[in-house]
Amino acid sequence: MHNTPNQKKPELLVPAGNFEKLETAIHFGADAVYLGGEDFSLRARAGNFSIAEMEAAVRFAHGENVKVYVAVNIFAHNEDVRKLPDYLMQLKEIGPDALIASDPGMVRMIRRHLPEMPIHLSTQANTTNWESCQFWQEQGVERVGLARELSLDEIREICGKAELELECFVHGAMCISYSGRCWMSRFMAGRDANRGDCAQSCRWEYFLTESKREGEYFPIEGDEKGVYLFNSKDLCLLEALPHLIQAGVNSFKIEGRMKTTYYVGVVTNVYRAAIDRYWESPHNFTLPPEWREELESVSHRGYTDAFIHGEPKDDRLLHTFSPYRNYDFLGIVQHPADSSFAKVKVKNRFQVGDSVEIVSIGPTVRQVKIENMRDEEGNPLNEAKPNTQVLIPINGVPMEKHSLVRKKIEKIF
Ligand code: SF4
């Protein structure tokens, strides 16, 4: 494998659902992050950024030489169209590096109100061929986020023929419908996926009922956990990454503005390492099995490479059970308190005697036994409780700020 002459190193684009996730994404190697405001973004429940928070986020990211793209990718109704110009003016002041849109009307309005602002077309627009890329380029779009439902051969051909930047999802949740173009959640829960409020009805457990037997639910058993008719496995294209770089994809995007800080840190860490290793030495590239194992440590529904090798077979895409993980996320290192203790922001309970792991850039994983613990005032503690900060002994293990603290769990959820 090789890189083509004059090819620029591709970008790693990471979700930032809040400020903590933004800092984590940047620490673990994001080149760019994407986030949403309180309106117009396709993740209504992602803990989106207020205008003031977005301003702080852009300032912080730019200080770290990281780009920020703001999602305005709902399918707009008339009411949204009326409100958009004011919002665009606020975004202009904040100065993100691009806006992500999918609705043609929104693209047109951004072009009209912010002629200098780069527009990235969201994957939600389902672009599956180079003619569509050409069309969007003529509308003033600078980058197209390709549909997830494309094979490597199709992506290669689009990269060869399209003349604008191309972005590809490489990791995260998949819809059973065409990337979010789905009415299921609206019908079943009154929550509109196309306006950022999907209830993920495709992932619910379903039973069979007979119309005259109210309250009687007959199980349909796909496996011992029941049946999840429409529940797609999650996308993981780590193995395909070298081929996608070779094809000429400009940006690799990780899905998950609603996922945890742990997910953001671990997934960014692995894809950062893979892109860097391939870029430095394409001919000798190998993927260490530990990197793939790291991806198993985050909550997921099993992995699929989906459409990358053509039409997915049944076991590549469907009928999987609910999310599982093999680690508990315990906390985030704030900073070493002194040479013997590090301060940790606690996410989940842990106690003296626990053996934990510290995940750092690399990915590097180191084991630490919690032999004692203190509160912020230095008083001894037996147990660390969520939403507190505690001091844990360093024991010679490097613990840089933003390192993730986790504990292996025997029972897999
Ligand atoms: S219900 Fe499922 S398939 Fe439909 S938009 Fe939501 S996540 Fe996607």
Side-chain angles (χ1 to χ4, degrees):
M1 293 195 194
H2 61 278
N3 307 326
T4 53
N6 305 324
Q7 188 179 2
K8 269 177 64 183
K9 188 173 182 180
E11 169 189 270
L12 180 60
L13 174 54
V14 179
N18 59 29
F19 211 93
E20 181 184 277
K21 294 174 196 175
L22 172 91
E23 287 181 315
T24 304
I26 292 174
H27 173 75
F28 283 101
D31 298 306
V33 294
Y34 62 102
L35 49 85
E38 287 165 341
D39 292 312
F40 303 104
S41 146
L42 261 184
R43 289 289 174 267
R45 289 163 200 254
N48 290 317
F49 289 74
S50 66
I51 290 293
E53 288 165 339
M54 208 185 285
E55 195 171 8
V58 170
R59 207 178 319 116
F60 176 76
H62 284 174
E64 301 288 322
N65 211 16
V66 168
K67 291 182 176 166
V68 180
Y69 308 143
V70 175
V72 283
N73 56 344
I74 60 164
F75 280 93
H77 287 240
N78 295 338
E79 188 54 30
D80 303 312
V81 168
R82 279 189 276 277
K83 289 192 309 195
L84 186 66
D86 284 349
Y87 185 57
L88 291 179
M89 287 307 120
Q90 290 176 308
L91 291 182
K92 185 181 178 188
E93 294 305 310
I94 290 170
D97 299 275
L99 301 187
I100 306 169
S102 47
D103 180 306
M106 304 266 279
V107 168
R108 193 160 172 262
M109 288 178 78
I110 297 168
R111 205 49 320 129
R112 195 183 323 136
H113 291 278
L114 302 180
E116 306 299 324
M117 177 69 74
I119 301 173
H120 294 178
L121 193 73
S122 168
T123 191
Q124 187 86 356
N126 306 137
T127 307
T128 50
N129 62 74
W130 74 83
E131 276 289 346
S132 293
C133 293
Q134 202 61 39
F135 168 83
W136 284 114
Q137 189 172 14
E138 286 160 12
Q139 310 313 309
V141 165
E142 187 169 284
R143 174 189 293 189
V144 165
L146 293 171
R148 292 171 173 92
E149 296 80 7
L150 287 173
S151 70
L152 180 59
D153 285 344
E154 289 176 301
I155 293 170
R156 233 179 238 134
E157 193 171 2
I158 294 171
C159 287
K161 293 182 170 157
E163 289 163 9
L164 74 181
E165 287 181 16
L166 295 169
E167 178 184 290
C168 235
F169 267 102
V170 285
H171 198 93
M174 296 275 289
C175 281
I176 207 69
S177 67
Y178 232 99
S179 283
R181 296 284 187 114
C182 169
W183 211 236
M184 196 170 173
S185 164
R186 180 65 189 263
F187 273 132
M188 299 185 74
R191 287 169 49 180
D192 189 345
N194 294 300
R195 297 171 68 79
D197 200 20
C198 179
Q200 305 223 329
S201 312
C202 61
R203 314 202 191 279
W204 297 352
E205 186 180 7
Y206 290 92
F207 291 89
L208 185 68
T209 63
E210 197 271 326
S211 60
K212 296 191 185 64
R213 298 185 199 207
E214 202 178 319
E216 285 189 40
Y217 299 100
F218 299 95
I220 325 166
E221 290 180 2
D223 63 21
E224 74 281 2
K225 296 193 178 212
V227 70
Y228 298 83
L229 288 173
F230 314 111
N231 188 15
S232 171
K233 291 179 180 175
D234 291 343
L235 181 69
C236 174
L237 294 184
L238 185 65
E239 276 87 3
L241 203 62
H243 300 288
L244 290 166
I245 296 175
Q246 257 194 310
V249 175
N250 305 97
S251 175
F252 295 115
K253 188 170 188 175
I254 294 167
E255 182 276 345
R257 272 190 280 148
M258 293 173 65
K259 300 273 175 63
T260 62
T261 303
Y262 178 72
Y263 166 95
V264 170
V266 166
V267 178
T268 306
N269 207 5
V270 169
Y271 280 89
R272 174 76 279 151
I275 293 170
D276 289 351
R277 179 178 284 199
Y278 177 79
W279 197 256
E280 276 158 26
S281 188
H283 295 288
N284 305 318
F285 179 78
T286 53
L287 208 50
E290 312 85 78
W291 292 2
R292 175 68 193 221
E293 283 163 26
E294 274 300 293
L295 296 179
E296 297 291 331
S297 81
V298 301
S299 180
H300 66 293
R301 305 175 182 89
Y303 286 126
T304 173
D305 53 16
F307 294 80
I308 206 74
H309 299 297
E311 280 297 305
K313 302 269 185 318
D314 191 57
D315 66 337
R316 292 235 306 273
L317 195 56
L318 302 176
H319 305 316
T320 184
F321 47 85
S322 282
Y324 61 91
R325 64 182 196 277
N326 52 14
Y327 280 90
D328 273 339
F329 177 32
L330 304 182
I332 309 169
V333 174
Q334 300 301 288
H335 54 79
D338 54 38
S339 55
S340 31
F341 283 88
K343 186 184 277 190
V344 172
K345 184 176 175 185
V346 181
K347 294 287 182 178
N348 283 297
R349 203 173 287 268
F350 59 97
Q351 58 192 17
V352 170
D354 281 345
S355 292
V356 305
E357 293 181 359
I358 310 295
V359 184
S360 313
I361 291 170
T364 306
V365 180
R366 297 183 178 94
Q367 318 283 330
V368 173
K369 175 117 174 164
I370 308 282
E371 282 157 354
N372 56 70
M373 202 166 20
R374 296 181 186 175
D375 67 15
E376 286 186 88
E377 278 74 50
N379 304 309
L381 271 183
N382 275 330
E383 188 179 72
K385 296 198 172 106
N387 304 318
T388 62
Q389 308 217 55
V390 300
L391 305 176
I392 64 168
I394 289 177
N395 286 348
V397 171
M399 290 194 200
E400 76 264 21
K401 189 177 177 186
H402 301 299
S403 295
L404 306 167
V405 186
R406 71 185 183 189
K407 184 181 165 194
K408 195 160 180 61
I409 45 181
E410 300 312 323
K411 185 169 179 283
I412 294 180
F413 295 91

